[in-house]
Amino acid sequence: MTSKTKSLKIALYLLLLTLIPLQSMAQETEDFSPDAPGATTGVSIMPQGKIDWETGIGLEWDRRNGEHAHTFTINTSMFRLGLTPQAEVRLQIDECLTHTPDGNFGGIANASIGTKIKVYEGGKIFPKVAFMGTVLIPGGSHAHYLPKHVGFLAHLLFENELSSKLTLGYDMGGEWDGDTESPDLFFGANLTYQPTDKWSFFVESYNRYNSKRQDDWAKPGKDSHFNFMSEFGLDYKVTPRLHINAYYDISFNEFSKYSNIGLGIAWLLN
């Protein structure tokens, strides 16, 4: 394939990406609630028949436990389809490149399929509740990021509206990547402030516990049952069908040795 042909294909691809949101904006407007950004997940379900594409890029610096890795997320894509008024289907695929002192590698970093189901609408004091289940697709013995066996995630999602501008979400569950002896227990809490219809800001804490001490959750020569992380970010609603977002993560286990920054877009495609 000639370089001219490659350039033409790239140009056509970028044109298609441009036309998708423009076509969506030209259609009847309809609000939706993106899941991105954030490590915790909200309770909102996609409207029936609607498709949301949440995509973005990221850059991670990781020097925890003596590591020296820089990982560039080329693309993260989450597709959410409203299956019924009570449930959605979710498909995610991420691609990354990692640089280490020993060399570079890349490939599919996450491949999963799952669902989110509305459990309870919530009341004056009781939170909204949803269930999220995910199957992690394995990558075999030659994969750099994917598990070698099928993995499972199961989360209960909660949300309380504290006021017209403040929302508290919390996310509890179990995560097993198919390779570790025991699953991680996950707990996250997210506080979102929405001063206007277009802007929202959030800060969250998301944490994992494993009954087996993990050496990659601590300083070199140490291990820990806990992994303490935090994230903060923002979302801007360009139109009811198009959102842009940004986020930044830190690790409390080794505060100065980990950071992760990303930018993303969420589109309601139909």
Side-chain angles (χ1 to χ4, degrees), residues 62-83:
D62 190 356
R63 295 186 292 118
R64 295 172 297 179
N65 197 249
E67 296 291 332
H68 293 274
H70 295 167
T71 297
F72 175 55
T73 301
I74 301 170
N75 178 265
T76 175
S77 285
M78 165 71 80
F79 293 91
R80 301 167 60 209
L81 166 64
L83 194 62

Side-chain angles (χ1 to χ4, degrees), residues 14-29:
L14 293 175
L15 179 61
L16 285 173
L17 290 182
T18 304
L19 289 176
I20 289 172
L22 290 178
Q23 181 183 16
S24 298
M25 290 177 209
Q27 298 173 8
E28 181 184 357
T29 59

Side-chain angles (χ1 to χ4, degrees), residues 36-37 48 74 94 106 111 143 183-184 225 240 246 259 265:
Q48 186 173 7
I74 301 170
D94 304 339
D184 294 342
H225 287 296
S259 60
I265 296 175

